[in-house]
Amino acid sequence: MHEARNTNAGPRRTGPVRRLVATAALLLLTACGGGDAQSSGTAGGDGGGVASVTGQDKQPKEEAAQAERPLIRPDMTQEDEERLFRVWESCMAKNGYKRDDEYTGEVGGPKPDSATVEKWGEQYEAAQKVCAAKEPERLWERARREDPEYQDKFDKWLECAQSSGVKVGRSPEDPGILAYEDGLPPADQLKKVADCEAEAFSGK
């Protein structure tokens, strides 16, 4: 399975930003699974791992969490969403996070070895201490931090996505996170997941 953490490669993210997000998702998944990228079957793998939708959802460091993270609204254009992510990406780059442009996180794509993942992890953690407050978050992420009814809304999100034909379930690591069964699905299915997210968390 593949967890969909906020680093949830969103359905519309492309180019360098998608690569940054995909790498962050890989780091989270590798940390959860305890294996290297070649054997764990996580992001960019062949389905043997967990593909979470939480889009980087470990809470930001305490010192950076004081500021409100930018919110990705359901009515936001692709250009506006990309603009938010580029602010975060620029901050990460200025603070030492060097992504590998060859790694996209796509199923069947190139996979970094464990030494590379470890190097990325160190760079990512250090940069995120400075940049966490700039990282955009989706509706479900903010609800998870602030809404006491999050789990009920999450259940509605999951039910909606499954009824739309998406192969998704609960992450075995965290029942409050979506996990794709066969790796990240194609863009049209990710769009269904995003629509279900908006319906569950904003009533739209």
Side-chain angles (χ1 to χ4, degrees):
M1 300 181 79
H2 183 94
E3 288 190 352
R5 296 183 180 265
N6 161 356
T7 30
N8 53 100
R12 298 182 301 183
R13 260 176 247 172
T14 58
V17 174
R18 184 183 177 107
R19 288 193 289 272
L20 173 62
V21 171
T23 302
L26 175 70
L27 296 174
L28 287 169
L29 293 174
T30 304
C32 290
D36 64 35
Q38 298 285 8
S39 62
S40 63
T42 54
D46 56 7
V50 175
S52 288
V53 165
T54 35
Q56 298 168 293
D57 210 13
K58 293 233 176 167
Q59 268 189 306
K61 302 295 181 182
E62 290 184 6
E63 60 270 25
Q66 303 304 316
E68 189 84 323
R69 292 166 58 187
L71 180 65
I72 301 173
R73 304 184 311 275
D75 60 349
M76 188 170 280
T77 65
Q78 178 176 349
E79 291 75 18
D80 288 341
E81 182 177 335
E82 290 287 338
R83 190 175 300 112
L84 291 180
F85 273 99
R86 289 191 186 284
V87 171
W88 174 55
E89 183 189 41
S90 176
C91 179
M92 295 290 283
K94 289 177 181 178
N95 285 279
Y97 181 69
K98 308 296 184 183
R99 68 173 186 274
D100 186 340
D101 286 351
E102 293 184 6
Y103 179 72
T104 64
E106 299 292 340
V107 174
K111 307 173 191 176
D113 58 27
S114 58
T116 299
V117 171
E118 182 177 358
K119 179 187 70 175
W120 284 347
E122 294 172 355
Q123 293 175 347
Y124 181 87
E125 289 295 327
Q128 190 68 336
K129 288 180 180 180
V130 179
C131 304
K134 298 180 184 295
E135 180 186 0
E137 63 181 350
R138 297 186 179 275
L139 288 172
W140 73 265
E141 297 178 86
R142 182 164 295 184
R144 194 176 196 218
R145 290 191 293 105
E146 300 178 351
D147 190 346
E149 297 180 357
Y150 171 77
Q151 196 61 50
D152 290 339
K153 294 178 180 179
F154 172 85
D155 292 343
K156 293 178 181 178
W157 181 24
L158 175 59
E159 181 179 354
C160 175
Q162 290 175 332
S163 67
S164 297
V166 182
K167 293 183 178 181
V168 65
R170 300 177 189 278
S171 167
E173 299 285 344
D174 185 340
I177 292 174
L178 295 185
Y180 298 114
E181 296 177 7
D182 299 322
L184 288 176
D188 60 331
Q189 292 194 3
L190 285 173
K191 176 62 166 59
K192 293 177 182 178
V193 174
D195 290 343
C196 288
E197 176 192 2
E199 180 179 339
F201 292 102
S202 67
K204 296 182 180 180

